[in-house]
C-alpha cells in the first residue's frame, strides 16, 4: 500500500499535467467560495488528518471561530432576534401603573361621594328628567347651573354656562349666558333666560338653549353655592389665585380688596356673584369666567390633580347631575389641557344687543339672534 507521501506526490503530478479548465470546470473560484490564498502546494505535501482543515493545520490543530457564512441553500443565515425582555418589562410596568391609577381614581371618587352623602348640613339635590343629546360632531356639552338653594324651589338660575370637553379642539370651551338675555322659552313666551330654570328646571333650559342658540346639551350639573364652597376648599386648601379687579363690599358676606390674592371657597363665590356696580351682569359674567379659568389653571399642581377624583365624587354626591364618571375619566387629558387656559365666550357677543323691557317691565337684553348663533358656531369650530 502506498504511503501518504506517495499519494500526495501522485496527486500533485496529476494536477500539474491535467487540463485545469476541464478538471475544475464545475468549481469556479468566486468571492463567495472558501478559497484560501495562503494555501500552497507545499501544504498539500503534508495534508492534515481527515476532519481537519488546512487552516487548523496552520493554527496548531485548533479551529478558529467561524463567522456567519452562507448556508447550504446559498442564503445567509438570519440574525437572531434581539431579546425583548426589557421592552416587555417596561410594558408590564406601564400597565400596572395605569391599573393602580384607575383603582385610585375610582376609590377616591366613591370616597368623595360617600363623604357628601354623610354630610348632615348638605341638602342633596335630587336628580331630574333631562333628555339630552350628543352634538352632530359627537361631542357632549355639559349644562352648568348655579343656583342659590336658599331662594326656594322656584329660584332662577344665577349662573348659566355650557362646558364642552370633547369637541374638535380637545380642550375645555366655555360659553356663559347673561341671565337677563331675552329669549323665547318654549311654552312660556319671551322673557329672561334664567326664568326658564324657574319654570321647568334644567330640562326646559336645555330646550331654550336649543331653540334660541342651536346648542344641544347631553349632560347637566346643578351646583348650589354651599356645594361650590365645599368643592373649592377640598381642591384648594390654600385658596385659588385671583387678581381681583376692584374693591368689593356691597351686599357681600366677605369684603374683597383689589389685587392678586388667594381666595377660599366663600370669598371666591362672593367675587363671582358680585354685580353691584356700573357693569351689572356683564361684569359678573366676566368674573365668573375668570374664576373658572383660575380653577382649571390651578390643576397644574399635581396635588390638586390627585384630589380631583375625590372632589368630583363630592360634586356628584351633593349636586343634581347625570354626568357619568366614565365621561370625566375619558376626558382627563382635555381637562389637563385646561390648565393652560380655557377658551371662553360670553353671550350676547359685542355689538349684538340693546337694552329693552319685558312683559313684566323688567330690564332685558334684546339680542341679534342670528349674529350670536354664528358666533357660537365659530367658537365651537376654531
Amino acid at each position: 500500500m502506498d504511503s501518504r507521501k506517495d499519494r500526495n506526490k501522485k496527486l500533485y503530478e496529476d494536477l500539474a499535467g491535467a487540463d485545469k479548465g476541464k478538471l475544475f470546470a464545475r468549481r469556479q473560484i468566486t468571492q463567495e467560495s472558501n478559497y484560501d490564498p495562503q494555501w500552497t502546494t507545499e501544504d498539500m505535501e503534508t495534508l492534515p488528518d481527515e476532519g481537519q482543515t488546512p487552516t487548523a493545520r496552520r493554527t496548531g490543530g485548533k479551529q478558529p471561530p467561524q463567522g456567519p457564512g452562507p448556508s447550504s441553500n446559498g442564503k445567509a443565515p438570519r440574525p437572531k432576534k434581539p431579546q425583548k425582555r426589557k421592552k416587555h418589562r417596561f410594558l408590564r410596568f406601564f400597565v400596572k401603573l395605569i391599573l393602580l391609577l384607575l383603582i385610585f381614581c375610582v376609590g377616591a371618587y366613591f370616597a368623595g361621594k360617600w363623604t357628601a352623602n354623610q354630610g348632615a348640613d348638605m341638602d342633596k339635590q335630587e336628580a331630574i328628567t333631562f333628555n339630552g343629546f350628543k352634538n352632530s360632531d359627537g361631542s357632549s356639552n355639559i349644562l352648568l347651573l348655579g343656583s342659590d338653594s336658599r331662594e326656594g324651589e322656584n329660584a332662577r338660575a344665577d349662573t348659566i354656562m355650557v362646558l364642552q370637553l370633547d369637541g374638535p379642539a380637545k380642550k375645555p370651551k366655555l360659553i356663559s349666558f347673561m341671565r337677563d338675555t331675552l329669549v323665547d322659552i318654549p311654552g312660556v313666551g319671551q322673557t329672561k333666560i334664567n326664568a326658564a330654570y324657574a319654570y321647568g328646571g334644567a330640562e326646559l333650559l336645555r330646550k331654550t338653549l336649543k331653540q334660541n342658540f342651536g346648542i344641544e346639551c347631553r349632560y347637566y350639573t346643578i351646583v348650589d353655592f354651599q356645594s361650590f364652597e365645599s368643592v373649592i376648599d377640598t381642591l384648594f386648601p390654600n385658596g385659588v389665585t385671583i387678581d381681583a379687579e376692584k374693591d368689593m363690599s356691597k351686599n357681600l358676606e366677605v369684603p374683597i380688596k383689589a389685587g392678586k390674592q388667594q381666595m377660599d371657597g366663600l370669598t371666591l363665590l362672593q367675587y363671582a356673584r358680585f354685580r353691584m356696580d356700573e357693569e351689572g351682569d356683564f361684569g359678573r359674567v366676566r368674573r365668573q369666567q375668570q374664576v373658572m379659568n383660575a380653577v382649571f389653571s390651578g390643576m397644574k399642581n399635581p396635588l390638586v390633580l390627585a384630589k380631583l377624583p375625590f372632589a368630583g365624587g363630592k360634586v356628584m354626591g351633593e349636586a343634581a347631575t347625570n354626568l357619568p364618571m366614565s365621561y370625566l375619566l375619558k376626558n382627563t387629558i382635555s381637562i389637563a389641557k385646561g390648565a393652560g387656559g380655557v377658551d371662553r365666550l360670553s353671550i350676547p357677543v359685542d355689538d349684538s344687543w340693546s337694552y329693552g323691557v319685558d312683559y313684566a317691565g323688567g330690564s332685558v337684553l334684546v339680542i341679534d339672534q342670528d349674529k350670536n348663533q354664528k358666533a357660537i358656531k365659530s367658537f365651537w369650530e376654531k
Side-chain angles (χ1 to χ4, degrees), residues 185-199:
I185 300 176
V188 176
Q190 288 196 333
T191 186
K192 297 179 180 182
I193 190 173
N194 68 334
Y197 181 70
Y199 284 115

Side-chain angles (χ1 to χ4, degrees), residues 41 47 107 139 211 230-231 240 245 265 273 281 295 330 354 369:
T41 56
L47 284 173
S139 61
Q211 179 170 307
S230 174
V231 170
V240 177
E245 301 177 343
R273 295 194 68 197
D281 206 31
V295 170
K330 181 181 177 182
S354 61
Q369 202 168 71

Side-chain angles (χ1 to χ4, degrees), residues 161 174 176 240-246 248 259-260 263 268 271-272 283-297 342 344:
M161 296 179 175
L174 184 70
S176 297
V240 177
T241 304
I242 290 287
D243 190 359
E245 301 177 343
K246 62 181 75 176
M248 305 173 187
K260 195 171 184 178
M263 293 187 180
L268 195 64
Y271 181 76
R284 178 166 68 171
V285 167
R286 184 180 64 253
R287 285 186 288 274
Q288 287 175 351
Q289 291 189 339
Q290 181 187 5
V291 166
M292 288 292 291
N293 193 61
V295 170
F296 273 100
S297 297
V342 179
R344 296 169 284 174

Side-chain angles (χ1 to χ4, degrees), residues 36-40 43 48 52-62:
D36 189 350
Q38 298 179 3
W39 178 253
T40 66
D43 297 315
Q52 195 176 61
T53 64
T55 306
R57 165 70 174 80
R58 294 192 304 273
T59 57
K62 296 182 180 180

